[in-house]
Amino acid sequence: MKMISGYTANGDRLQQLKAFDESKSGVKGIVDKGITKIPPIFVRPPEFSGGDKPSSGHRTRTQFSVPVVDLTDTVGRRADVVAGVRRAAETVGFFQVVNHGIPKRVLDEMLAAARGFHELHREVKSEYYSRELLRKVKFGSNFDLYQSRFANWRDSLFCVMGPEPLDPQELPLICRDITMEYSENVHKLGVTLFELLSEALGLKPDHLIGLDCAKGHLILSHYYPPCPEPELTMGTSKHSDPDFLTILLQDQIGGLQVLYENQWIDVPPVPGALVVNIGDLLQLVSNDRFKSVEHQVLANHAGPRVSIACFLTPHLHPSTRLYGPIKELLSEDRPPVYKETSLKDFIAYYDKKGLDGNSALTHFKCQR
């Protein structure tokens, strides 16, 4: 029986998944063994590439670029900034923000600390390894490992920073202080963006904040090790985000792509910029005015690639609030596209579905 990197090529897939999971060392643990071939559990099936769908494994050459919004003066230039945010949110669902107020030192130190955590000895990292749904700080690889058709070439440190303030002692020492500082800065930026997005919908600036969109946030530090066969797998499969808004800090490696007009568009790293994208829940409450667009990350020979995603959402914080299209945006001509849902039900459906290439929003559409 042929062996590939310690996995049987035609052995039991579940056993391979369990062996990977129980190693508690993630994708980096495999790379550290000096592999030249990727294990079978990471190989993307043929139906996930080619055909009439946009190619998922290649860099794009299209001339379109993701909009850039300058936040230098959001008071004096308010109308221009709101118009820029509206255009991006309604069409591409992605934009980069510059002059956002978070110091370069904080960005650089956050990336360095995230990389530092993922490059700790296995024994130290494994203490944080968990698949417990409600654990606030956990290290893992592929939240949908047992549901997905193929595993992604990515490890993650997941931290729930709010609504209840996280005790810093729960964070790994190597990234503790800077994660707390970055968290405070990025949440403040999130509040500013929700104010601009509210105005872009023709609502009062505090409308989205009043819906608790900024009440909680998660910080996910992703680590994409160099891959010996990047064309056979993905860093992150095609998906949209189960939150209201995502603010992403990425290093200079690149690989993030957004689906626009059935073409994969590269989102190249811009020094000092942050990438912002509309989440599924903001598309739902805006009644499809704003677009939660599918995106993916390519695997790469180069690396490691490090990125820090901040998900703005109360997530699983206990709440009786139901989310549906905002009443002020509805009319006879614009009936509700979605039914109401709790965050708990939305996230349960998203997690059960996993990154299968399909939007979770379809499940919550009103029956016509």
Side-chain angles (χ1 to χ4, degrees), residues 337 339 362-363 365-368:
V337 178
K339 54 193 176 186
T362 308
H363 181 74
K365 285 198 169 183
C366 294
Q367 299 299 316
R368 294 279 180 234

Side-chain angles (χ1 to χ4, degrees), residues 136 160-166 187 212 214-218 313-319:
K136 285 193 167 186
V160 180
M161 306 304 296
E164 292 170 358
L166 180 68
H187 184 257
D212 293 342
K215 187 175 178 180
H217 64 292
L218 323 172
T313 171
H315 191 51
L316 294 174
H317 185 72
S319 172

Side-chain angles (χ1 to χ4, degrees), residues 239-252:
H239 69 289
S240 54
D241 293 343
D243 60 358
F244 289 98
L245 198 68
T246 302
I247 301 173
L248 181 82
L249 165 62
Q250 57 173 341
D251 68 10
Q252 296 307 302

